[in-house]
Amino acid sequence: MSATAGAAAGAGYAADQQSGGGLVIALLLPIALVNLVGFLLPVVNLALISLQEVQASGAMTGGWSTAKWVSVVTDDFYWELLWNTIRTSLGITLATLLVSYPIALYLHRSSGLWRSVLLVMVISPLLLSAVVRTYGWIAILSDQGVVNSVLKAFGAAEPWRLMFNLTGVTIGLTEILMPYMILALVAGFGRLDPRAEEAAATLGASPFRVFRRIVLPLSVPGIALGSLLTFVLAVSSFITPKLLGGGRVFLLATEVYDQAIVTLDWPLAATLSMIVLVVFGIAIAVYGRLVRSIG
Amino acid sequence: MDRRHFAKTVLAFACGLAAVPASAAETVTLMAYTGLFQDRYTQAVLAPFEKANPDIKVVFAPQPSSGAMIGQLRAQKAAPQVDVVIMDVSVAKAGADEGLFVKLEAKDLPVIDELYPNARIPEIAGVAVTFDNLVLIYNAEAWPTPPKGLADMATPAAKGKVVIPGIPDIQGMSMVAILDKKNGGPGVEGKFAKGIEAMEAIAPNVQTWEPKPEVYAPVIAGQATIGVGWNARAQVNTDTSGGKMKAVIPAEGTAFQINTINLVQGAPQSAAARKFIAYALSAEAQKTFTETMFYAPTNAKAQIAPAAIDRTAVKSLDKVVPIDWLAVAKVRDQVAEAWRRKVIPLSR
């Protein structure tokens, strides 16, 4: 290739690259716009509300103040609330993982029509509102519900307190978040090659050893994704803790509701919402690090 | 349908629209509580108003709480979609401070002069449209001997069967204020410390501080047997449950809750809205609504049937503990903090 031809080719490549870059920007523009209007601006607005002054009556009359941030940072109650939210959400995530894993593995290994039927059964709860499903749990867990009626039939004198406490919230949220965990796990099982399990079994590994050394390590990406989804949804869950918590289980989301709707303290609600966003950010960073370390 | 037929249909529809009189376009939007309140208010107040004013239609925009209403009003501040709002007095104060409402005055609405003096509250823009009061509710099967007061909720018979909408709900706050007064507390000045102390005896028996959808349903169903509620809804639920649930004014006293009616600043149908507010405050509407839902009237001229007035707090005014909700708002955070630290842990 002559020097002139090479220069012309180089110029053409640069021009192509430039028009390609323009196309990429043009293609990204709509989603960037949607993110700007649908996410970034509301978050900025939320941050601004958290810095507004609020009167005792709940009125916001335009002044600026960092009082809510100061009170949240200096009050033990809000640290306790944050810790309680993280601990409860982690517990719910673990419970959801434990009950969802066998179902997801069975679903991964099934095939044909049976697999489709199972998949529909897993997804179908998502067609119902969380409110309806939570009321369903009230019917099951209340003092006169299904569980306590059975216990009573077997001679239990006192009803077992299964709701209006952390137990009820954990049971309800675990069931409600299971579809998300199962779908994430099934998606993550893509790396699971049945031939690797067969090879391990042929070499004399027990079923438990096959699970521990082959199945579990290969499903870590699915576990990480499902756990991230479940944790984030548990932290932001509001209806189920409100209905099944009985006013005893204080979580960030329920506190945001109380401050925004009952006491009208929007700046405090906005401050707590920003803290929820920080928790989400940390969860996503941990997930990203885990995924990178898996390689 | 062929092209000619389609064109005729469109033309007829357009002519039909054109034939609608301009006055029929006056639609007042009323924002108020959903559920029982909406049903009864529509029947007792909206329907007769529309009958008397065929040129005005009132659309009910339901919301679950006053807090949710103020959220809507703030969002619509630049272009209001609502004309009239019925909400709790403490939330109405926030709305008045933010300039969301027009000050209602007797010179524009002469009916205001017919209201009881405590229906006109200087710090808020609207006026009181209903009075309600706290009652003790109980399951009549579980309590063959009716409970007398709030203290019954601390007895062994109530163990695990008490339902109270806790603080920050104003029912919880009312209960604390009543118990504070009963135990010699100074009220707002003492941040209701005596009331919080008295609640510590009741807390271990509480089943839930968040009865949903309302406090009445678990008591009727027997899931709980005793609690506190608002008189108007309690009276209706007493009737609809066939007497399974009953209500009494607690021996320790009761507290008023005031619902106010407010005209939204920049209301799209301001003139028609004023007409509606005048009707809602009139002796006629107040009589009908009290007889339908047992809220105590705010119009002094309303001639209520004795059977209905007996089911309101009107004849028990000596038992009413006065609560200045606007003063309570100033100490609400401290009371809520004491509640969370001293009362809630005892119920776990």
Side-chain angles (χ1 to χ4, degrees):
Chain A
M1 192 188 285
S2 70
T4 321
Y13 176 71
D16 278 356
Q17 213 175 19
Q18 212 167 19
S19 68
L23 184 67
V24 168
I25 290 172
L27 287 172
L28 285 177
L29 207 59
I31 190 69
L33 207 65
V34 168
N35 264 309
L36 180 75
V37 175
F39 180 71
L40 205 60
L41 287 181
V43 169
V44 170
N45 193 31
L46 200 65
L48 291 176
I49 291 175
S50 77
L51 293 170
Q52 284 206 13
E53 208 169 40
V54 65
Q55 292 179 8
S57 66
M60 295 194 298
T61 42
W64 297 98
S65 164
T66 53
K68 294 300 163 186
W69 281 98
V70 172
S71 77
V72 166
V73 171
T74 54
D75 190 340
D76 290 350
F77 172 75
Y78 293 108
W79 286 106
E80 212 175 293
L81 188 69
L82 178 62
W83 169 236
N84 206 25
T85 305
I86 293 173
R87 193 183 51 187
T88 305
S89 301
L90 284 174
I92 289 165
T93 304
L94 184 66
T96 311
L97 175 65
L98 290 176
V99 291
S100 302
Y101 195 93
I103 299 171
L105 194 59
Y106 184 73
L107 188 61
H108 171 72
R109 286 177 175 166
S110 60
S111 59
L113 181 66
W114 181 230
R115 183 186 164 88
S116 304
V117 170
L118 284 177
L119 207 57
V120 168
M121 283 171 70
V122 166
I123 296 169
S124 58
L126 296 176
L127 303 174
L128 270 182
S129 143
V131 180
V132 176
R133 290 162 73 193
T134 305
Y135 271 104
W137 277 110
I138 291 175
I140 294 168
L141 301 176
S142 70
D143 285 1
Q144 295 159 325
V146 177
V147 177
N148 276 312
S149 300
V150 171
L151 290 174
K152 200 176 173 185
F154 281 100
E158 287 287 316
W160 195 12
R161 192 46 54 80
L162 290 168
M163 63 176 220
F164 298 139
N165 51 24
L166 190 58
T167 310
V169 174
T170 306
I171 293 172
L173 270 182
T174 299
E175 187 275 332
I176 282 165
L177 298 177
M178 272 175 69
Y180 302 100
M181 177 65 92
I182 293 172
L183 291 176
L185 286 172
V186 169
F189 284 154
R191 289 165 54 152
L192 207 57
D193 188 344
R195 285 173 301 182
E197 292 176 59
E198 282 166 21
T202 313
L203 292 170
S206 65
F208 178 68
R209 204 182 179 90
V210 171
F211 175 75
R212 194 167 59 85
R213 301 294 294 271
I214 309 283
V215 178
L216 198 58
L218 286 174
S219 53
V220 166
I223 292 174
L225 179 63
S227 299
L228 174 75
L229 270 177
T230 311
F231 177 77
V232 165
L233 290 169
V235 168
S236 57
S237 280
F238 146 72
I239 287 288
T240 309
K242 201 75 186 156
L243 291 174
L244 292 174
R248 291 184 182 84
V249 182
F250 291 117
L251 300 174
L252 273 170
T254 54
E255 189 65 16
V256 168
Y257 172 85
D258 280 347
Q259 294 300 339
I261 302 296
V262 187
T263 59
L264 285 189
D265 196 338
W266 280 22
L268 182 54
T271 306
L272 295 172
S273 303
M274 295 300 290
I275 290 170
V276 172
L277 271 181
V278 171
V279 172
F280 288 171
I282 293 169
I284 289 167
V286 169
Y287 170 74
R289 211 184 168 104
L290 186 70
V291 168
R292 270 198 302 278
S293 72
I294 295 165
Chain B
M1 189 186 288
D2 60 25
R3 240 186 301 179
R4 187 179 292 177
H5 192 181
F6 177 74
K8 269 186 185 173
T9 309
V10 170
L11 192 66
F13 183 68
C15 290
L17 282 183
V20 174
S23 58
E26 275 197 306
T27 301
V28 172
T29 305
L30 165 70
M31 190 186 274
Y33 306 105
T34 187
L36 196 55
F37 187 96
Q38 180 179 0
D39 296 345
R40 301 275 166 138
Y41 204 70
T42 302
Q43 170 199 335
V45 182
L46 267 51
F49 174 75
E50 286 180 338
K51 199 174 173 186
N53 298 274
D55 55 334
I56 302 173
K57 184 172 171 49
V58 184
V59 173
F60 201 108
Q63 286 292 333
S65 67
S66 300
M69 291 179 209
I70 204 92
Q72 290 282 326
L73 295 175
R74 280 173 176 168
Q76 298 173 6
K77 194 173 181 181
Q81 305 294 307
V82 175
D83 301 283
V84 182
V85 180
I86 292 177
M87 58 163 49
D88 178 72
V89 65
S90 57
V91 181
K93 162 82 168 123
D97 290 349
E98 290 181 25
L100 295 172
F101 303 127
V102 177
K103 179 78 181 162
L104 296 179
E105 286 172 295
K107 63 180 168 60
D108 306 314
L109 279 170
V111 71
I112 290 177
D113 281 333
E114 294 177 14
L115 305 183
Y116 289 111
N118 55 352
R120 287 165 279 170
I121 304 147
E123 293 95 328
I124 67 157
V127 291
V129 67
T130 66
F131 291 128
D132 206 355
N133 63 287
L134 197 83
V135 287
L136 187 67
I137 60 170
Y138 62 97
N139 183 298
E141 288 166 9
W143 291 83
T145 309
K148 288 188 173 64
L150 301 174
D152 284 273
M153 290 194 274
T155 59
K159 191 185 168 202
K161 294 290 183 185
V162 178
V163 280
I164 297 170
I167 289 176
D169 191 287
I170 58 168
Q171 291 184 64
M173 191 66 233
S174 304
M175 202 174 150
V176 168
I178 293 164
L179 289 170
D180 190 77
K181 178 84 175 168
K182 170 77 184 169
N183 290 288
V188 172
E189 288 76 28
K191 298 181 183 68
F192 300 102
K194 292 275 184 190
I196 291 283
E197 208 175 287
M199 277 304 305
E200 290 172 25
I202 296 170
N205 281 352
V206 171
Q207 185 185 95
T208 177
W209 302 103
E210 296 260 6
K212 291 282 184 296
E214 286 185 314
V215 70
Y216 317 99
V219 174
I220 293 168
Q223 163 78 19
T225 62
I226 190 166
V228 291
W230 292 123
N231 179 64
R233 284 166 191 263
Q235 294 298 334
V236 174
N237 277 291
T238 298
D239 293 345
T240 54
S241 70
K244 270 190 186 171
M245 193 207 84
K246 288 185 177 169
V248 290
I249 291 179
E252 293 87 348
T254 184
F256 267 148
Q257 182 260 345
I258 303 171
N259 276 322
T260 60
I261 191 162
N262 306 274
L263 177 62
V264 176
Q265 188 71 254
Q269 298 293 341
S270 182
R274 279 179 187 275
K275 221 174 195 181
F276 172 71
I277 291 172
Y279 179 76
L281 295 170
S282 70
E284 179 195 344
Q286 294 271 308
K287 171 182 163 65
T288 322
F289 194 46
T290 298
E291 289 172 2
T292 306
M293 204 174 163
F294 313 106
Y295 279 102
T298 60
N299 189 316
K301 291 186 174 172
Q303 297 295 313
I304 317 288
I309 208 77
D310 286 351
R311 296 176 72 179
T312 70
V314 168
K315 288 194 174 169
S316 312
L317 291 176
D318 55 320
K319 286 189 173 176
V320 176
V321 173
I323 299 177
D324 179 353
W325 287 110
L326 307 180
V328 169
K330 291 174 186 155
V331 296
R332 189 175 50 197
D333 286 352
Q334 292 101 308
V335 181
E337 194 181 325
W339 176 269
R340 283 168 177 156
R341 292 182 199 282
K342 294 180 178 172
V343 179
I344 298 289
L346 294 169
S347 71
R348 283 183 177 134

